[in-house]
Amino acid sequence: MNMLVVGFWGSFFGTVALMLVGSLVAFAQSRERVALTAALSSLVSGLFVVAYLGWLPIANPAVEARLLAHVAILSAAVLGLMLLMEMGLLRQHAIAWRARQRMLAVAGIAVGVSWLLDPWHALALGSIVALGIGGAGLLIAIRSASRGDRLAWEAVFGVTFMLVTLSGLSWIALDRGGVPWQVHLVSALGGMAYLAAMATMVWRRYSYLIELREVLAHGPSYDPITRMRSNAETGNMVGLAFFRQQQDPARPVGVIAISIGNLYALENLHGRAAVNHALFVCASRLRRCVPADVEMGRLSEDGFMLVARNATDLQRLVQLSRLVAERLSRPVGLSTSSASTDRGAGQAQWVAQVGVGLIATTAKSRPSAVVAMARDMSRTAWTFASRVAWHDQASGQIAELPVSEAA
């Protein structure tokens, strides 16, 4: 096997490794089922490719051929069941039980028949069975997609490339020395495309579960545009933080208010869809830069609120305020049509007019007064070069964080 072919398959196994890393991240976020699905898809696919490329430490070609027949049949059965599960076709227990029984029966019969054949014919039978299971999965995916299941289109895409890869690997396994490098290239690219499609399906399920967790946690107070607490729930969040501060006065509460000054002008120019898109992007940027111990929520119609229940490290909150102002002030292309997936949907370049107000207090103030003060400070910060205002505890006055100190 020349270095060019090794490079092709090295890219494939790099994709397998990335998918495994993604599954570990999902597992760390307590999404065991999603992590298991991603890990199994990548591991079974990787094992199949390793076996069919002849990288197993087996010296006897006949033994290797018979083992490959078993690998093909069992891998196709496992991946077929996982495909049906990801498409949501196995939600009902009775349907799932019948599907498993039928798949096990097909795999068992195919393995039994393979032992009645010589090793090379058994290998051919295993590849044919795997192609048959993949073809059946493709037909099921096409039928689901035609009925309006958008997730099924990823399955159609992935299974199609899986069949291309399986055909190429079968050729490679049956004729080790006579396969041109182009077959390796097409097979490796097909394998990467299949894994990308499966990763897309898993990510859709993963993001759905993340949003579902927020909905269950906040109920009607969940804001679907920003995927944060609503304005009313933010008030409860601040009130609870100050209530806990009274129990531990040594731990001040840090409040950061963020106001966006040009949303009204954006709506007048491009409509409500552009405003919703702007809020969605700003909220996404906030989630990526805000630490896990800082809570987030909506603040009225044009802003956000961050609450740190332990603000003893004031410099950390200062750096966070600067980071938030910098991240949210980056340009973004906004959709000006509610049908953002349409090719004719308009685009508008927009930069948020961001103002950030920071207060860290141990005083037994009313939460509503602190929130109002932070919000007023954030609006005052619209006129500052740094776009950040804070309550200077040393002087007792509201001051600007200089641009020269911004990180």
Side-chain angles (χ1 to χ4, degrees):
M1 187 176 291
N2 58 46
M3 295 303 298
L4 188 62
V5 171
V6 172
F8 297 154
W9 290 112
S11 300
F12 169 80
F13 287 109
T15 306
V16 171
L18 286 176
M19 199 164 178
L20 283 174
V21 171
S23 67
L24 292 176
V25 173
F27 184 82
Q29 297 292 330
S30 300
R31 294 288 174 255
E32 292 84 0
R33 186 174 179 180
V34 174
L36 180 62
T37 300
L40 278 179
S41 296
S42 56
L43 287 175
V44 172
S45 301
L47 175 62
F48 184 90
V49 171
V50 167
Y52 262 62
L53 288 177
W55 292 354
L56 295 178
I58 300 175
N60 191 328
V63 175
E64 182 187 36
R66 194 169 293 281
L67 178 61
L68 292 184
H70 296 168
V71 169
I73 295 169
L74 297 179
S75 299
V78 172
L79 294 177
L81 287 174
M82 292 177 62
L83 176 67
L84 296 178
M85 183 180 67
E86 284 303 307
M87 291 173 58
L89 301 178
L90 302 182
R91 293 192 180 100
Q92 297 182 17
H93 179 73
I95 296 177
W97 186 85
R98 287 197 301 268
R100 294 189 187 100
Q101 295 299 315
R102 292 174 181 175
M103 192 68 75
L104 288 174
V106 170
I109 292 172
V111 169
V113 172
S114 69
W115 281 96
L116 302 177
L117 305 174
D118 64 82
W120 303 110
H121 286 95
L123 173 58
L125 174 65
S127 298
I128 292 172
V129 171
L131 288 169
I133 293 176
L138 179 61
L139 293 177
I140 293 173
I142 292 175
R143 186 181 66 176
S144 297
S146 64
R147 293 179 177 178
D149 185 357
R150 289 179 295 179
L151 190 62
W153 286 114
E154 277 85 5
V156 172
F157 176 84
V159 175
T160 300
F161 280 97
M162 182 194 72
L163 293 174
V164 172
T165 301
L166 180 57
S167 301
L169 287 171
S170 299
W171 185 359
I172 294 169
L174 291 170
D175 186 11
R176 295 286 187 205
V179 178
W181 65 267
Q182 290 88 348
V183 176
H184 287 274
L185 170 62
V186 173
S187 300
L189 291 178
M192 288 186 285
Y194 164 71
L195 289 178
M198 294 301 103
T200 301
M201 294 180 66
V202 171
W203 169 248
R204 286 179 180 268
R205 180 179 292 273
Y206 179 53
S207 59
Y208 165 78
L209 291 175
I210 292 175
E211 188 165 4
L212 178 61
R213 180 179 61 183
E214 296 297 325
V215 170
L216 294 177
H218 305 298
S221 299
Y222 176 72
D223 176 30
I225 298 176
T226 60
R227 294 179 291 172
M228 291 182 178
R229 294 174 173 89
S230 68
N231 187 54
E233 182 67 13
T234 299
N236 296 333
M237 175 184 71
V238 176
L240 181 60
F242 275 86
F243 174 77
R244 293 183 177 179
Q245 181 202 52
Q246 294 176 2
Q247 298 176 341
D248 188 5
R251 301 176 65 179
V253 174
V255 176
I256 300 176
I258 303 151
S259 297
I260 303 174
N262 53 347
L263 288 177
Y264 180 73
L266 178 65
E267 182 174 8
N268 288 336
L269 287 173
H270 300 291
R272 189 63 196 179
V275 174
N276 291 339
H277 192 181
L279 289 170
F280 178 84
V281 171
C282 290
S284 299
R285 290 176 174 178
L286 270 179
R287 274 190 294 273
R288 287 194 292 268
C289 68
V290 172
D293 60 338
V294 177
E295 298 180 273
M296 298 178 288
R298 288 289 301 273
L299 181 63
S300 68
E301 292 293 325
D302 61 351
F304 304 92
M305 174 69 70
L306 309 180
V307 176
R309 295 183 178 180
N310 184 9
T312 52
D313 187 359
L314 183 59
Q315 188 60 31
R316 177 171 175 260
L317 293 182
V318 169
Q319 295 297 332
L320 176 60
S321 300
R322 290 176 174 142
L323 179 61
V324 166
E326 189 272 330
R327 291 285 178 87
L328 268 62
S329 298
R330 293 178 180 177
V332 61
L334 298 179
S335 299
T336 58
S337 170
S338 59
S340 59
T341 57
D342 292 346
R343 292 185 178 181
Q347 291 288 325
Q349 291 297 318
W350 179 75
V351 177
Q353 183 185 0
V354 178
V356 180
L358 167 64
I359 300 177
T361 177
T362 57
K364 294 183 179 180
S365 305
R366 289 186 305 158
S368 58
V370 174
V371 171
M373 182 178 180
R375 185 184 179 191
D376 291 342
M377 290 168 56
S378 68
R379 294 184 172 221
T380 302
W382 288 339
T383 62
F384 294 163
S386 66
R387 298 299 177 96
V388 182
W390 75 309
H391 184 256
D392 189 349
Q393 295 179 341
S395 63
Q397 297 179 349
I398 296 174
E400 176 187 5
L401 289 178
V403 178
S404 59
E405 298 180 13

